[in-house]
Amino acid sequence: MARTPLNLPDFPWDALVPYGQIARTHPDGFVDLSVGSPVDPTPEIIRETLAAATDSHAYPTTTGTVQLREAIVEWFARRRGVTGLTIDHVLPTIGSKELVALLPMLLGLGKGDVVVHPSVAYPTYAIGAALVGATSIAADDPAEWPENTALVWLNSPGNPDGRVADVAQLRAAVARARELGAVIASDECYAELNWIGQDPAPSILDAEVIGDDRSSVLAVYSLSKQSNLAGYRAAFVAGCSALISELLAIRKHAGLIAPGPVQAAMVTALHDDAHVAAQRELYRARRAKLLPALERAGFTIDDSVAGLYLWATKNEDSWQTVGDLAHSGILVVPGSFYGEDPARHVRIALTASDDTIADAVARLELLA
Ligand SMILES: Cc1ncc(COP(=O)(O)O)c(C=O)c1O
């Protein structure tokens, strides 16, 4: 029988390549504010732990070491105010992107099921639905989630728009998901990067959201951003113990195992709040320079109260903005990559060195 290849959307970043080529020809150099990839070094204490763990001859366990599972439980209590978790409520993942893309498959979803995600969103939620033949729907309002919804993705703080869901919004989303019999998963990888107020964004696992009932609720977290660990692929999922054991069983069969040295490094990262605070202040300072420079250059910044991006608009087609900035040597991402329709925003990353941010500010002053 003929094979039917998976019909996935085009990789959107390919469309940005010509703009990158224009920006790279700028005589004063290229200012890349497109990809949200960390640029600062991985903290020394984490690297030391990784280096000490290089004898890793045996297979690691899919469920994670007890030390790692305990560190995740303690981190939730200490940093997110989520109490009552045990090591049976948590599971390491190989970065969070694989979990986001694979969750519909791991939950057994398929044709006829709906996966809901935010109206402007990280594209991998829809990819995960497409991989299993499910339908993805972009809808923020729980009232719009259809009866055949099987999985709801929330993303707070959001990529690309930096929106934060408050406890009431999280509560309403959980209530609607439960009414539909759907699993609800909250992708919270920017939770430690808040610019208004000091506290991390509320977790879906907060008792104020779910009381003591974790059933059908998952929180997904990544150390890529808070700890400059994107290259390690270090993340975890937590929540409903029945779902966690379901995920574990399939991940064991499929060999989806976080590498042993990475598991060790994650323990150190999760126990140390100082490096996270220091990194947060670096991004805060970069944001404090870039945001007013963008406003002086005629941009309006919407949302963007947390996370690693500024969601900026000149009230024009977002490709126009991308093109104009490329001629100033600055590369940013159009809102269309995130499903904005019509796309009128661009996503501008804070993940650039201090020197690059200073260059961006200087270029933007010329546009003011
Ligand atoms: C919203 C969101 N979720 C998940 C990820 C994946 O992060 P990682 O795979 O590095 O853990 C990203 C990365 O940019 C993201 O923005």
Side-chain angles (χ1 to χ4, degrees):
M1 208 171 87
R3 202 172 57 82
T4 315
L6 280 172
N7 189 16
L8 297 181
D10 291 341
F11 195 61
W13 291 85
D14 294 345
L16 201 60
V17 170
Y19 296 89
Q21 281 163 350
I22 294 171
R24 279 187 181 81
T25 62
H26 194 278
D28 298 329
F30 177 41
V31 173
D32 187 2
L33 305 180
S34 60
V35 187
S37 190
V39 292
D40 301 302
T42 300
E44 199 55 43
I45 48 162
I46 305 175
R47 291 157 70 170
E48 281 165 9
T49 307
L50 184 84
T54 52
D55 176 16
S56 190
H57 52 273
Y59 285 104
T61 55
T62 309
T63 190
T65 60
V66 171
Q67 292 91 320
L68 173 56
R69 295 157 77 201
E70 285 174 349
I72 296 170
V73 167
E74 284 166 26
W75 176 85
F76 263 112
R78 191 178 73 250
R79 293 301 309 161
R80 310 297 305 284
V82 173
T83 52
L85 295 180
T86 72
I87 61 172
D88 293 328
H89 295 108
V90 303
L91 184 62
T93 60
I94 313 161
S96 57
K97 186 170 183 174
E98 58 91 349
L99 193 268
V100 172
L102 296 179
L103 190 60
M105 187 271 280
L106 297 171
L107 294 174
L109 307 193
K111 210 169 160 32
D113 290 320
V114 164
V115 175
V116 165
H117 60 73
S119 56
V120 291
Y122 181 60
T124 312
Y125 308 124
I127 295 292
L131 285 172
V132 297
T135 303
S136 55
I137 292 184
D140 296 321
D141 181 356
E144 290 175 14
W145 301 346
E147 289 302 319
N148 52 344
T149 301
L151 170 62
V152 174
W153 275 109
L154 304 181
N155 175 212
S156 173
N159 172 13
D161 57 9
R163 265 196 289 172
V164 175
D166 62 23
V167 165
Q169 288 166 322
L170 293 172
R171 218 185 266 159
V174 170
R176 174 68 177 151
R178 286 192 169 146
E179 192 178 284
L180 295 165
V183 170
I184 182 163
S186 175
D187 181 356
E188 303 179 349
C189 64
Y190 300 98
E192 283 276 16
L193 300 164
N194 278 279
W195 313 125
I196 315 290
Q198 293 293 322
D199 292 335
S203 173
I204 197 167
L205 297 178
D206 196 308
E208 283 197 49
V209 178
I210 55 168
D212 59 2
D213 179 9
R214 279 180 289 271
S215 59
S216 72
V217 177
L218 295 172
V220 176
Y221 193 71
S222 169
L223 302 188
S224 291
K225 318 287 182 179
Q226 69 148 51
S227 299
N228 295 326
L229 282 191
Y232 285 46
R233 313 310 299 132
F236 48 87
V237 54
C240 173
S241 56
L243 285 176
I244 292 290
S245 63
E246 234 180 90
L247 300 181
L248 172 62
I250 305 166
R251 292 174 68 86
K252 272 178 168 171
H253 281 302
L256 290 167
I257 316 173
V262 172
Q263 292 194 29
M266 286 175 75
V267 175
T268 298
L270 286 165
H271 281 146
D272 181 64
D273 296 337
H275 77 276
V276 183
Q279 188 60 41
R280 185 187 306 118
E281 293 317 306
L282 283 180
Y283 286 129
R284 190 192 300 282
R286 290 168 188 163
R287 181 180 181 276
K289 293 195 173 95
L290 195 53
L291 192 155
L294 284 162
E295 286 178 336
R296 284 193 295 273
F299 285 86
T300 301
I301 310 299
D302 288 320
D303 299 314
S304 313
V305 297
L308 285 182
Y309 312 101
L310 296 173
W311 187 231
T313 182
K314 274 200 154 174
N315 284 319
E316 62 186 11
D317 182 273
S318 66
W319 282 111
Q320 177 72 42
T321 315
V322 169
D324 289 348
L325 286 175
H327 283 105
S328 297
I330 302 173
L331 189 64
V332 301
V333 185
S336 52
F337 281 22
Y338 306 95
E340 194 189 20
D341 184 24
R344 308 201 49 94
H345 287 78
V346 292
R347 191 193 78 166
I348 303 178
L350 302 174
T351 48
S353 67
D354 291 344
D355 286 350
T356 302
I357 294 288
D359 284 347
V361 169
R363 309 271 173 93
L364 289 165
E365 295 303 345
L366 299 177
L367 300 177

